[in-house]
Amino acid sequence: QVQLVESGGGLVQPGGSLRLSCLVSTLTFSNYGMGWFRQAPGKEREFVAASNWFGDSTYVGNSVKGRFTISRDRAKKTLYLQMNNLEPEDTAVYYCAASRTPGVFSLKRNYDYWGQGTQVTVSS
């Protein structure tokens, strides 16, 4: 079983930065695909960014490209999402996800495990 625990959310002004973390707790090491999604009130959960387990292959969604960066520290079993130049439209609950299948995925159906989410609010 895999448990994902997100942290780092909060309130930030437009133009500010936040770094989200996702701690992966698992008894079995495996080559998991990892990703970040977000869901704003009244909207569908949407893809933000994804990475393979080794961190050498990543993919960032068009809506955040150039502002958000995904990375991981395998030794710490932690996935990160660095968010810069935040906009009010980035306000959402951000979820970490893991896939038992190795690779980089942008579709929700490819992920097997989800965290509880962390709230990010961008407002002045």
Side-chain angles (χ1 to χ4, degrees):
Q1 186 68 1
V2 176
Q3 290 186 322
L4 308 174
V5 180
E6 302 98 334
S7 61
L11 173 64
V12 63
Q13 292 185 343
S17 298
L18 282 175
R19 188 176 79 158
L20 305 183
S21 300
C22 173
L23 177 61
V24 183
S25 297
T26 175
L27 297 178
T28 304
F29 176 83
S30 184
N31 189 356
Y32 294 108
M34 300 293 299
W36 288 99
F37 290 75
R38 67 185 182 184
Q39 188 166 16
K43 294 188 176 181
E44 294 288 324
R45 191 171 297 189
E46 68 168 349
F47 170 74
V48 176
S51 170
N52 65 351
W53 182 249
F54 301 100
D56 58 359
S57 180
T58 62
Y59 176 58
V60 179
N62 289 334
S63 62
V64 301
K65 192 169 293 183
R67 300 187 297 122
F68 290 13
T69 303
I70 186 171
S71 63
R72 63 200 307 168
D73 185 327
R74 281 184 289 154
K76 295 182 178 180
K77 292 187 178 180
T78 300
L79 180 73
Y80 301 102
L81 184 68
Q82 178 66 45
M83 306 185 296
N84 298 327
N85 195 21
L86 283 159
E87 303 169 352
E89 293 73 24
D90 297 316
T91 295
V93 177
Y94 283 71
Y95 296 91
C96 175
S99 170
R100 289 192 296 263
T101 304
V104 180
F105 308 108
S106 63
L107 298 178
K108 296 189 294 290
R109 65 171 180 259
N110 291 124
Y111 291 91
D112 304 292
Y113 307 100
W114 293 84
Q116 293 299 307
T118 185
Q119 176 71 46
V120 172
T121 303
V122 185
S123 175
S124 55

